[in-house]
Amino acid sequence: MVKKNKKSRFLLALLVYISIFFFLLIISMVIDTTYDAKKLFSACIAAYVIIGICLIIHIGTSGGDFFEPITFISILYMMLFIFEPMIDVYEDNLNWFGGNYTSFGVKGTWIAIAGYLGFFIGYRVERFSFATFSYNKLRYKVKKKPEEMEDDAYYTKVAVIFWIVCYFISVLFLLLSGKSLAFILTGGLTGNGDLLESRKMLGALSMFSYCLVGAWMLYFVYGKNKSLKVITFILTVFIYYIRGYRFIIIIFVLAPIVFVYLYKQKRPKFVTITAAIIVMIIFVGFVAAARNSVRYGGGISNDMVNWDAALEQVKDNFRIYKTYYALVGYVPQETNYLHGQQIFLYTAFMFVPRIIWKSKPETSAGLYLIRDAISESAFLSGTAYPIIGEFYIEFGSAGVVIFMFLYGYLNKSWLNRYGLSYSKFDKIMYSILLLSNFQIVIRGYTPSNFYMVIFFVLPLLFIKFLKGIKRI
């Protein structure tokens, strides 16, 4: 049965791959655009062919799985560097903050291809020797009991305490930032939401809102009170919504769904996935349209979003490839690489509260490069670059390949350590880490992403720490 499912998935994937290739080939022959745009479209087709072959190899040798990191990351990666650029070429929507960086797109695309190959090798390597798979272990591994019994009551107690403490800290941060309690508890529907400059002095407090994901997941799995689960879920969503964390909300909402599928060893049907994507497009579009209004104290109106506007908001999240193109054209031609200033140095002191370190830099050197490469308005608007954008401005093309290799190896390690475990605790950890890739791939900013992941799973790490003390 396993081999039959594996073969059918491989044939289906191959059919879809070939069909999409010929469709893109036809579009490339009839499209009417500039010379640079046509070159970019052709480079994107080459990227599709190479990345697609990697995925076909993976599906053919391991069977593939919807909840594998390589699946999530590959979809996001192809949207960023292949499909969205193609859509923008077709729609003649290539300008970005008043500039056009399409001429750097071919170079940027080939660097992206090299980065993906690094990721693929890192993911496929196990202990630095190529891993072989006879079947998909994530889904079909023979179920067995965890080696260590799980203490549901103990986990529930820790989850509740952690959620209460972190929720209180999150509310305190918002209150000190100028939001009223009514504004916080109703998700911006009522009350005052003025934004104060003092929030910059308390940025470290905002990190604790990430802990709500891990704490709530622990209670969702081990807790018994359904009403409490619903109430804490809504209050957590309100916290993230007021902060404008649309991708964090998606991670939070999807985490329990992914956990249930993983623990029951089931997978969503195509119709379910399609419906979920449509709901996410509408939701992300609404949050994106309302985020600035709510974040800066405004209200919410019913006309903030419609389907077309929602779709555009989602596409805008993938159009940050243009920021990446601009950086490829600016570094190192106009300025030197950063050589770790952002990934290592700024990550090290980002968590230090500004109230303690008065002269702490306002932001990292990598974000200032956006101002220099594009414009002041791009910098002030908060536009970001995808994951390889940061690797490129730090260490160039070689940095993209090396860091993507490590990123692939790290995700494979998470899969082996937590994804293949049948412990509910490990499944919680894996669900959160898997979904964190949404933010990591689309927003290439290590200082923020590093602490985001740490605080996501901090409640679980705390339990592991306490269990380790008990063994001593």
Side-chain angles (χ1 to χ4, degrees), residues 104-178:
F104 308 117
V106 174
K107 178 183 177 182
T109 302
W110 282 106
I111 294 173
I113 293 171
Y116 186 86
L117 291 175
F119 165 80
F120 182 74
I121 294 171
Y123 189 85
R124 293 285 301 185
V125 165
E126 190 167 313
R127 293 183 181 177
F128 297 102
S129 62
F130 270 100
T132 56
F133 304 94
S134 59
Y135 57 87
N136 187 330
K137 293 190 288 185
L138 181 59
R139 186 171 184 181
Y140 295 110
K141 185 178 178 182
V142 178
K143 190 167 184 178
K144 61 181 181 180
K145 293 182 180 180
E147 295 179 2
E148 187 173 343
M149 296 300 294
E150 297 179 330
D151 190 339
D152 291 19
Y154 176 68
Y155 291 171
T156 300
K157 186 186 299 183
V158 173
V160 171
I161 294 173
F162 231 103
W163 190 92
I164 291 174
V165 171
C166 292
Y167 183 78
F168 174 78
I169 295 174
S170 301
V171 170
L172 177 63
F173 171 78
L174 291 173
L175 289 172
L176 295 174
S177 300

Side-chain angles (χ1 to χ4, degrees), residues 84 88 93 96 312 315-322:
E84 188 56 45
D88 287 342
N93 185 11
W96 192 241
E312 279 302 305
K315 288 165 70 175
D316 276 344
N317 284 288
F318 293 104
R319 284 181 178 137
I320 58 172
Y321 74 85
K322 297 176 185 178

Side-chain angles (χ1 to χ4, degrees), residues 285-317:
F286 176 75
V287 173
R291 65 182 299 200
N292 286 335
S293 176
V294 173
R295 180 182 285 180
Y296 294 101
I300 302 172
S301 60
N302 294 329
D303 60 348
M304 277 187 167
V305 71
N306 52 51
W307 173 254
D308 291 336
L311 193 58
E312 279 302 305
Q313 291 287 351
V314 172
K315 288 165 70 175
D316 276 344
N317 284 288

Side-chain angles (χ1 to χ4, degrees), residues 23-183:
F23 174 76
L24 296 177
L25 204 60
I26 293 171
I27 295 295
S28 69
M29 290 187 290
V30 301
I31 195 170
D32 183 21
T33 186
T34 64
Y35 176 71
D36 283 340
K38 283 186 177 181
K39 285 202 304 182
L40 175 58
F41 200 94
S42 298
C44 289
I45 291 179
Y48 172 79
V49 170
I50 295 170
I51 294 176
I53 288 174
C54 291
L55 286 174
I56 293 297
I57 291 172
H58 180 72
I59 294 171
T61 56
S62 73
D65 191 281
F66 184 72
F67 290 131
E68 265 193 279
I70 193 172
T71 306
F72 269 60
I73 293 168
S74 297
I75 292 172
L76 293 171
Y77 204 88
M78 293 174 81
M79 282 298 303
L80 278 165
F81 302 111
I82 298 177
F83 297 125
E84 188 56 45
M86 285 179 161
I87 292 171
D88 287 342
V89 168
Y90 182 80
E91 295 180 347
D92 193 24
N93 185 11
L94 297 171
N95 287 338
W96 192 241
F97 291 97
N100 190 314
Y101 307 98
T102 310
S103 59
F104 308 117
V106 174
K107 178 183 177 182
T109 302
W110 282 106
I111 294 173
I113 293 171
Y116 186 86
L117 291 175
F119 165 80
F120 182 74
I121 294 171
Y123 189 85
R124 293 285 301 185
V125 165
E126 190 167 313
R127 293 183 181 177
F128 297 102
S129 62
F130 270 100
T132 56
F133 304 94
S134 59
Y135 57 87
N136 187 330
K137 293 190 288 185
L138 181 59
R139 186 171 184 181
Y140 295 110
K141 185 178 178 182
V142 178
K143 190 167 184 178
K144 61 181 181 180
K145 293 182 180 180
E147 295 179 2
E148 187 173 343
M149 296 300 294
E150 297 179 330
D151 190 339
D152 291 19
Y154 176 68
Y155 291 171
T156 300
K157 186 186 299 183
V158 173
V160 171
I161 294 173
F162 231 103
W163 190 92
I164 291 174
V165 171
C166 292
Y167 183 78
F168 174 78
I169 295 174
S170 301
V171 170
L172 177 63
F173 171 78
L174 291 173
L175 289 172
L176 295 174
S177 300
K179 305 289 192 295
S180 69
L181 188 60
F183 192 88

